[in-house]
Amino acid sequence: MQFGSDLLFAQSNLLNNQMSRLFKPHLKPPAGAYSIYMKELRKNYWNPRDWDDDFINEDNFFFPFNNSLTEGEWTSWHEHPSWAEFVVLLSGSAVVETSKLNYLANESQCIWIPPRTNHTFYTLEAAANRTIFIHESLFQNKERFHSCQILNSSTLLKELVKVVDDWRLDLANEKDRRMAHVVWDVIQRAESAITGITMPRNSKLQKLANTFLENIEEPISIEEWSKEFGMSSKTLSRVFFRETGMTIGQWEQRAKMDHAYRLLRSGESVTDTALACGYHSVSSFITTFKKQFGTTPGSLIENPKK
């Protein structure tokens, strides 16, 4: 296979954004409209499209793709009829929204989206990811991969995904096919994430959630947000529970624990993490953390910061 330069990739990515504005999701574009577009993007392993017969080849069950999103960026709603989308976050965080869930994933996690799942992504901060599109023939008999989920990432998985993307595997080559299967084996071993936050779908509640996540040490004031939204505190609480399955207090604590988990894994001390999450008592933080994760916060510190 021949592959374009970084400049071509950037131009193709820009073209994708432009074309997504021209065509409504789920509608097949006019004949010939994507001919040049797809020709260029094939050089970079783009999203497989079932309506493009020239591109689909089930022998090529594995298509890596890398992407970067700016803060506040949204993708259009879309789905992949025969392909799962596996997103490995290398930095930043992203929210994946489907008709059934709305999850925030961070750089220690991966997102699995099965075929025929209508979804969109949006970012609360700049994010970089590596994505692999995997044909459903690999997991038709694996029920675990039939639903959208957040998985824990690992150093091995991140490095493998970066390698296969950089190498631009040619699956007509037996060695490259073996490498693709190695990555798939590692993906199958990834554990379901114990962290991860269910995000509300309502636009007003998203504003509340996003504001809190940007200033996580500040508690959520139900009274103040109720006034801003022009609704009673009781209504706000009821709608929030309906959207997330948690009370505002439970969601706030879960978000703090998720943030604490990431800080501790990055080497922050228990005391600094507790303060960053708005706790004035370290012992209270430790108790809450252990109740959430079944282990003490100190046990997660792999490389303490000096």
Side-chain angles (χ1 to χ4, degrees), residues 160-211:
L160 281 173
V161 170
K162 286 191 287 186
V163 164
V164 297
D165 187 32
D166 293 339
W167 285 3
R168 299 299 188 187
L169 302 185
D170 179 358
L171 300 188
N173 181 299
E174 179 60 29
K175 291 183 179 180
D176 284 359
R177 289 180 70 85
R178 287 203 300 268
M179 175 59 77
H181 278 292
V182 167
V183 177
W184 172 232
D185 286 343
V186 174
I187 291 173
Q188 293 180 83
R189 292 173 179 269
E191 298 177 346
S192 297
I194 58 174
T195 60
I197 308 170
T198 302
M199 296 289 285
R201 300 170 60 83
N202 178 282
S203 59
K204 290 183 177 180
L205 299 187
Q206 284 181 358
K207 180 180 179 181
L208 182 159
N210 294 345
T211 300

Side-chain angles (χ1 to χ4, degrees), residues 232-270:
S232 68
S233 297
K234 186 176 181 179
T235 299
L236 173 60
S237 298
R238 185 176 67 250
V239 175
F240 195 93
F241 184 85
R242 186 179 66 209
E243 296 254 329
T244 65
M246 291 179 276
T247 66
I248 292 177
Q250 290 170 336
W251 185 91
E252 180 179 352
Q253 179 174 298
R254 181 63 183 264
K256 286 184 176 183
M257 290 298 98
D258 183 81
H259 185 59
Y261 190 94
R262 286 190 284 162
L263 291 177
L264 292 165
R265 292 298 295 268
S266 70
E268 291 290 348
S269 69
V270 174

Side-chain angles (χ1 to χ4, degrees), residues 87-106:
V87 182
V88 180
L89 288 162
L90 302 181
S91 64
S93 60
V95 176
V96 55
E97 182 174 354
T98 72
S99 61
K100 296 182 178 180
L101 60 79
N102 199 10
Y103 273 138
L104 171 66
N106 59 55

Side-chain angles (χ1 to χ4, degrees), residues 3-260:
F3 301 99
S5 63
D6 291 340
L7 176 60
L8 175 58
F9 175 76
Q11 292 171 334
S12 300
N13 206 20
L14 176 61
L15 181 56
N16 171 59
N17 293 332
Q18 293 171 336
M19 296 299 282
S20 65
R21 300 187 185 101
L22 295 176
F23 299 109
K24 296 180 180 179
H26 321 307
L27 296 182
K28 183 174 179 178
Y34 269 90
S35 57
I36 298 177
Y37 167 68
M38 289 303 298
K39 181 179 179 181
E40 297 303 321
L41 292 183
R42 282 191 193 101
K43 298 178 181 178
N44 295 283
Y45 288 136
W46 187 246
N47 172 16
R49 311 263 184 173
D50 272 10
W51 44 259
D52 186 346
D53 294 333
D54 292 333
F55 184 69
I56 289 299
N57 180 348
E58 293 186 6
D59 290 335
N60 291 335
F61 56 86
F62 191 91
F63 290 89
F65 171 69
N66 68 73
N67 193 22
S68 296
L69 298 172
T70 58
E71 180 180 350
E73 186 172 351
W74 287 72
T75 67
S76 59
W77 281 91
H78 62 287
E79 62 184 65
H80 316 292
S82 299
W83 302 81
E85 183 172 1
F86 181 67
V87 182
V88 180
L89 288 162
L90 302 181
S91 64
S93 60
V95 176
V96 55
E97 182 174 354
T98 72
S99 61
K100 296 182 178 180
L101 60 79
N102 199 10
Y103 273 138
L104 171 66
N106 59 55
E107 67 271 11
S108 67
Q109 297 169 331
C110 312
I111 303 170
W112 175 270
I113 304 170
R116 296 171 291 280
T117 301
N118 197 23
H119 63 281
T120 182
F121 289 98
Y122 67 89
T123 57
L124 305 178
E125 58 184 326
N129 68 69
R130 299 290 176 104
T131 297
I132 298 177
F133 294 98
I134 302 172
H135 194 266
E136 62 182 353
S137 59
L138 289 188
F139 53 87
Q140 282 179 334
N141 299 322
K142 300 180 184 298
E143 187 174 350
R144 178 193 182 193
F145 293 100
H146 293 176
S147 59
C148 190
Q149 58 186 299
I150 307 297
L151 302 174
N152 284 331
S153 187
S154 66
T155 301
L156 174 61
L157 179 55
K158 285 184 176 181
E159 292 305 315
L160 281 173
V161 170
K162 286 191 287 186
V163 164
V164 297
D165 187 32
D166 293 339
W167 285 3
R168 299 299 188 187
L169 302 185
D170 179 358
L171 300 188
N173 181 299
E174 179 60 29
K175 291 183 179 180
D176 284 359
R177 289 180 70 85
R178 287 203 300 268
M179 175 59 77
H181 278 292
V182 167
V183 177
W184 172 232
D185 286 343
V186 174
I187 291 173
Q188 293 180 83
R189 292 173 179 269
E191 298 177 346
S192 297
I194 58 174
T195 60
I197 308 170
T198 302
M199 296 289 285
R201 300 170 60 83
N202 178 282
S203 59
K204 290 183 177 180
L205 299 187
Q206 284 181 358
K207 180 180 179 181
L208 182 159
N210 294 345
T211 300
F212 173 72
L213 292 173
E214 292 172 357
N215 303 277
I216 207 162
E217 72 281 358
E218 298 293 332
I220 296 174
S221 172
I222 297 178
E223 182 179 351
E224 290 180 6
W225 282 105
S226 298
K227 290 180 179 179
E228 178 169 336
F229 296 153
M231 63 178 69
S232 68
S233 297
K234 186 176 181 179
T235 299
L236 173 60
S237 298
R238 185 176 67 250
V239 175
F240 195 93
F241 184 85
R242 186 179 66 209
E243 296 254 329
T244 65
M246 291 179 276
T247 66
I248 292 177
Q250 290 170 336
W251 185 91
E252 180 179 352
Q253 179 174 298
R254 181 63 183 264
K256 286 184 176 183
M257 290 298 98
D258 183 81
H259 185 59

